[in-house]
Amino acid sequence: MSSPEIAVIVPVFNGAKYLPACVESIAAQRFADFVCVLVDDGSTDKTPALCDDIAAGDGRFVVVHKRNGGAATARLTGVQTARAYHPRWFAFCDADDLLHPDFLGEMHRAATESGMPIACCRRVLFTDDAVPAPGPLTAKSTLYSAPDHLDALLHNHDMDFGLWNKLYTADLPLEELLDNNVLYNEDLMANWRIFLLAKGCVYLPFAGYRYRQHAASMSHALPPQSLDDQRAVALHIRESVPAQWPALQQSADAFYYEKLVYLTSMILRREDTAPYRVQYGEMLIAISSGLKDRRLGRNPRLPLVMRLSAVATVRFPKLWRRLCQKYLKDRQ
């Protein structure tokens, strides 16, 4: 295979149910100059054979089989494998998701025309019962120069924390940045480190990435370690802001406090909170002590709804739990 313009990395673990549709959406890209690396992360279902069959039927697809190590290690293996083909850009796709037919083309166009090392588009959520039809394209895009792109990563929900709705120049040392020893929220940790090295990014408002929601998704689980990892990532972000960007420090401080309040609400919306006693106690102390802190609870970048939620968490815990269970049902 000659040097492709883009390498698409797809980590797969026991993904036989959804992988064919994912691969079909990649193969149908109107921008055809790509190689796709399927990384079988120690699957125990039909995924290994399925990956081999896909690669045998389409020369643009390559398969790597490895021992199970999680999505982050699978993506790292994929990037390392793809480097042998000397791509100019990297994209990522989860094995249960879908790409808009113009995802690669529009992201590549925006990145090359803007001269930015990262392109990003909007995601659209869907379920098995409602697969979205391709939406319209838009020519409008937004340029974020440093440090505004970092602020947008933290607070622009359309930009999202994920690796999968973005295109990255191959000049970035992705191998170093993806290997962050984080199991949950590893996408945000990787993107924060990547964005710190980038001069900015270009954002496209078109819905180029289709994110499947289903019960088996890791994003719907809440093991105690996920809370620990998310707090650790938010703290790392807060502590790693370059000193020359005080406005970004204020943004990161607000993000950290908002994360504490959000994670506490995730605990409270569950029927059984016993597994999270330690995490809940630690975050309650942190939220309470930060209420009057100008860098945290009184940070002007903290949304009012989060400020009120912090007060309710500390001062009206029983009422707040009832409200969380009644209205915050997305992760129950």
Side-chain angles (χ1 to χ4, degrees):
M1 184 185 297
S2 59
S3 298
E5 187 70 10
I6 300 174
V8 183
I9 312 301
V10 182
V12 194
F13 175 70
N14 289 349
K17 180 178 179 180
Y18 296 115
L19 182 61
C22 173
V23 167
E24 182 179 347
S25 77
I26 297 172
Q29 291 295 297
R30 295 187 178 102
F31 185 96
D33 189 10
F34 69 86
V35 61
C36 179
V37 181
L38 304 175
V39 184
D40 166 33
D41 189 31
S43 299
T44 57
D45 64 351
K46 296 180 181 180
T47 294
L50 180 59
C51 288
D52 291 337
D53 290 342
I54 291 168
D58 190 329
R60 296 174 297 177
F61 289 81
V62 177
V63 179
V64 179
H65 301 284
K66 63 180 288 293
R67 295 177 63 179
N68 180 256
T73 64
R75 292 188 186 109
L76 176 60
T77 297
V79 170
Q80 292 170 334
T81 301
R83 286 288 188 189
Y85 298 94
H86 307 292
R88 295 179 177 86
W89 300 90
F90 281 94
F92 299 89
C93 183
D94 284 356
D96 51 357
D97 294 339
L98 305 172
L99 300 183
H100 186 289
D102 290 300
F103 174 82
L104 293 182
E106 284 297 291
M107 298 284 272
H108 183 266
R109 178 194 61 78
T112 54
E113 289 182 359
S114 67
M116 286 296 183
I118 303 170
C120 176
C121 72
R122 189 167 58 85
R123 69 171 183 175
V124 59
L125 305 178
F126 74 99
T127 64
D128 294 351
D129 299 327
V131 178
L137 302 179
T138 175
K140 294 182 179 180
S141 60
T142 303
L143 293 180
Y144 291 98
S145 298
D148 292 342
H149 69 313
L150 287 152
D151 182 80
L153 176 66
L154 298 182
H155 297 289
N156 184 342
H157 296 298
D158 286 336
M159 185 173 289
D160 208 278
F161 302 151
L163 291 160
W164 24 254
N165 65 331
K166 299 174 180 67
L167 185 72
Y168 304 90
T169 177
D171 294 335
L172 289 165
L174 294 178
E175 293 88 335
E176 300 174 18
L177 304 172
L178 291 172
D179 187 14
N180 54 42
N181 297 316
V182 177
L183 182 59
Y184 299 91
N185 226 199
E186 80 284 353
D187 282 22
L188 175 56
M189 174 69 93
N191 267 320
W192 176 257
R193 297 171 69 190
I194 292 169
F195 275 48
L196 278 173
L197 295 182
K199 67 178 183 179
C201 73
V202 55
Y203 171 73
L204 291 79
F206 97 105
Y209 193 88
R210 293 99 171 265
Y211 184 91
R212 189 188 303 268
Q213 290 189 306
H214 55 86
S217 172
M218 280 184 64
S219 65
H220 283 76
L222 191 66
Q225 185 184 346
S226 73
L227 299 173
D228 295 336
D229 283 357
Q230 291 186 66
R231 288 167 58 206
V233 170
L235 181 60
H236 170 82
I237 289 172
R238 187 186 186 201
E239 293 178 342
S240 59
V241 175
Q244 68 268 28
W245 292 332
L248 181 62
Q249 183 65 65
Q250 185 181 64
S251 173
D253 290 342
F255 176 80
Y256 171 76
Y257 196 69
E258 184 174 348
K259 179 66 73 171
L260 293 177
V261 176
Y262 172 71
L263 292 176
T264 304
S265 77
M266 288 187 68
I267 294 174
L268 294 177
R269 73 186 72 178
R270 304 181 79 85
E271 289 296 329
D272 183 13
T273 61
Y276 313 104
R277 284 194 300 267
V278 173
Q279 287 79 11
Y280 178 74
E282 291 174 347
M283 286 189 284
L284 191 61
I285 293 172
I287 294 171
S288 179
S289 64
L291 275 178
K292 297 183 178 181
D293 191 329
R294 293 185 179 275
R295 296 183 61 187
L296 298 172
R298 292 190 176 181
N299 189 319
R301 289 297 307 273
L302 186 70
L304 177 60
V305 66
M306 283 295 170
R307 201 170 304 171
L308 295 175
S309 297
V311 172
T313 300
V314 174
R315 298 180 181 174
F316 311 103
K318 293 182 180 180
L319 174 62
W320 182 236
R321 184 183 181 189
R322 287 199 296 270
L323 292 174
C324 288
Q325 291 182 336
K326 183 175 181 178
Y327 295 108
L328 304 179
K329 299 181 180 296
D330 58 315
R331 297 291 180 86
Q332 291 181 352

